């Protein structure tokens, strides 16, 4: 394959879904450009001079939303002008019901809908890998995960399922103007999820239920910017209200198989040393 063959630009190619998507596409022989600030292809939302070089030769884009909503439409326009004919945009489940927890995702959805080319939107539940590769890992290692969630369950979705869905949508026809809600196969409370991880690792880990006020105070004390704290507050309020609690059928509709279960995720992550 020559390097100037049409390629798929995977944004956030170092992230939880992007990294897996790059691997999945390359395993089927696709020419992939993995883009981010520290990735193989340099792309930085805050440096528009990096956008055009990153887009060179790309016919399709896996789009992750910018934090700044003002950037999404400009990027999508530039991408279409440089030859991109298809977008698969990762967004958040509940974005219509929960309100303004991510203006960037709202803007990215709107930009691809108006792009004039093929688009598909993926609206995802919380990733299982948040427990092992992101914000909930260190609290688990410290033996205490504290969140403002009670009995409302969450059908955590495996990032590999998102990658598999995105790979299919980026490489096969028939998904234009579709919005897929992606979740795992069953909803679990955070307390149950933590108990499963504690059992698999043999570590004593407690789930602690916080009030929204206590959660905001903890995040601010950790040094998170106030706007991020507000966004998390809005997101958890929507989760407590049950907007994300029902399992969704997007993985089955696209892949024709059930999503990976949280048990499988925990076993694999524990075996890979995620909490060692
Ligand atoms: N995590 C979830 O449960 C979840 C659920 C639904 C939707 N989402 C959405 O999925 C997206 C990814 O979130 P995530 O939390 O899972 O993070 P992630 O993809 O695991 O990591 C963030 C990625 O973005 C890249 N990045 C960060 N700042 C950037 C910038 N200024 N320019 C270009 N690339 C940048 C990082 O790479 P470099 O550091 O190399 O730049 C990294 O690859 C977000 O839009 C999020 O809202 C997440």
């Amino acid at each position: 394959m020559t390097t100037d063959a049409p390629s798929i630009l995977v944004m956030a190619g170092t992230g939880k879904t992007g990294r897996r998507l790059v691997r999945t596409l390359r395993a089927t022989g696709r020419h992939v450009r993995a883009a981010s600030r520290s990735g193989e292809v340099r792309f930085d939302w805050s440096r528009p001079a990096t956008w055009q070089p990153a887009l060179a030769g790309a016919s399709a884009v896996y789009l992750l939303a910018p934090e700044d909503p003002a950037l999404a439409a400009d990027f999508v326009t530039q991408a279409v002008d440089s030859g991109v004919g298809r977008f698969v945009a990762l967004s958040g489940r509940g974005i219509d019901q929960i309100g303004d927890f991510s203006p960037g995702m709202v803007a990215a959805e709107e930009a691809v809908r108006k792009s004039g080319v093929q688009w598909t939107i993926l609206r995802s539940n919380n990733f299982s890998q948040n427990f092992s590769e992101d914000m909930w890992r260190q609290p688990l290692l410290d033996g205490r995960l504290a969140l403002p969630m009670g009995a409302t369950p969450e059908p955590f979705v495996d990032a590999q399922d998102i990658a598999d869905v995105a790979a299919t949508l980026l490489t096969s026809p028939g998904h234009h103007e579709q919005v897929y809600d992606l979740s795992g196969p069953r909803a679990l409370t955070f307390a149950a999820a933590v108990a499963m991880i504690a059992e698999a690792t043999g570590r004593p880990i407690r789930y602690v239920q916080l009030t929204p006020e206590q959660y905001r105070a903890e995040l601010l004390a950790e040094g998170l910017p106030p706007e991020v704290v507000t966004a998390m507050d809005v997101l958890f309020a929507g989760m407590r209200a049950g907007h994300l609690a029902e399992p969704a059928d997007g993985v089955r509709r696209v892949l024709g198989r059930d999503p990976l279960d949280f048990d499988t995720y925990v076993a694999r992550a524990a075996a890979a040393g995620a909490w060692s």
Side-chain angles (χ1 to χ4, degrees):
M1 188 177 299
T2 61
T3 49
D4 55 0
S7 59
I8 298 172
L9 180 69
V10 174
M11 300 178 68
T14 54
K16 291 187 286 301
T17 63
R19 200 169 70 243
R20 290 172 170 85
L21 176 58
V22 168
R23 210 165 45 219
T24 301
L25 288 168
R26 284 184 176 155
T28 61
R30 303 283 169 169
H31 180 205
V32 178
R33 291 165 66 75
S36 72
R37 294 167 304 180
S38 66
E40 298 166 10
V41 173
R42 187 164 148 65
F43 174 88
D44 187 340
W45 278 111
S46 66
R47 296 181 192 279
T50 63
W51 299 2
Q52 203 58 52
L55 283 163
S59 58
V61 171
Y62 176 61
L63 177 68
L64 269 73
E67 272 175 35
D68 179 354
L71 302 177
D74 280 353
F75 175 76
V76 166
T77 302
Q78 276 198 33
V80 173
D81 287 349
S82 79
V84 169
R86 184 181 297 190
F87 293 95
V88 172
L90 178 62
S91 187
R93 198 163 166 217
I95 198 164
D96 288 335
Q97 298 92 353
I98 296 183
D100 231 4
F101 71 93
S102 175
M105 288 200 294
V106 173
E109 285 202 11
E110 193 181 321
V112 298
R113 286 174 197 273
K114 290 181 177 168
S115 64
V117 300
Q118 304 256 324
W119 59 265
T120 310
I121 291 170
L122 303 179
R123 289 180 168 176
S124 172
N125 270 89
N126 280 285
F127 306 158
S128 302
Q129 279 76 7
N130 292 343
F131 289 98
S132 48
E133 299 174 24
D134 206 324
M135 55 198 166
W136 302 327
R137 178 171 180 267
Q138 190 57 48
L140 292 174
L141 294 177
D142 295 340
R144 171 189 180 271
L145 179 63
L147 294 169
M149 283 292 286
T152 313
E154 167 78 13
F156 303 103
V157 59
D158 197 295
Q160 186 60 53
D161 280 334
I162 296 173
D164 288 349
V165 166
T168 298
L169 302 177
L170 286 160
T171 56
S172 25
H175 302 281
H176 178 42
E177 296 186 347
Q178 297 296 310
V179 178
Y180 293 106
D181 280 356
L182 303 182
S183 82
R186 67 185 167 124
L188 291 169
T189 61
F190 275 79
V194 168
M196 287 166 70
I197 294 168
E199 191 180 335
T201 58
R203 300 172 76 98
I205 312 172
R206 290 183 304 139
Y207 175 74
V208 176
Q209 188 177 330
L210 299 180
T211 65
E213 295 72 24
Q214 289 169 329
Y215 183 54
R216 278 197 299 271
E218 286 207 359
L219 293 181
L220 287 168
E222 285 166 23
L224 265 75
E227 63 276 14
V228 175
V229 175
T230 301
M232 296 296 288
D233 197 30
V234 172
L235 177 60
F236 271 102
M239 288 162 62
R240 281 194 304 276
H243 292 307
L244 280 65
E246 286 296 317
D249 64 356
V251 172
R252 172 157 280 291
R253 281 168 63 206
V254 176
L255 299 177
R257 64 156 173 82
D258 286 334
L260 295 165
D261 193 72
F262 198 76
D263 281 326
T264 307
Y265 155 71
V266 171
R268 287 181 182 171
W275 302 292
S276 299

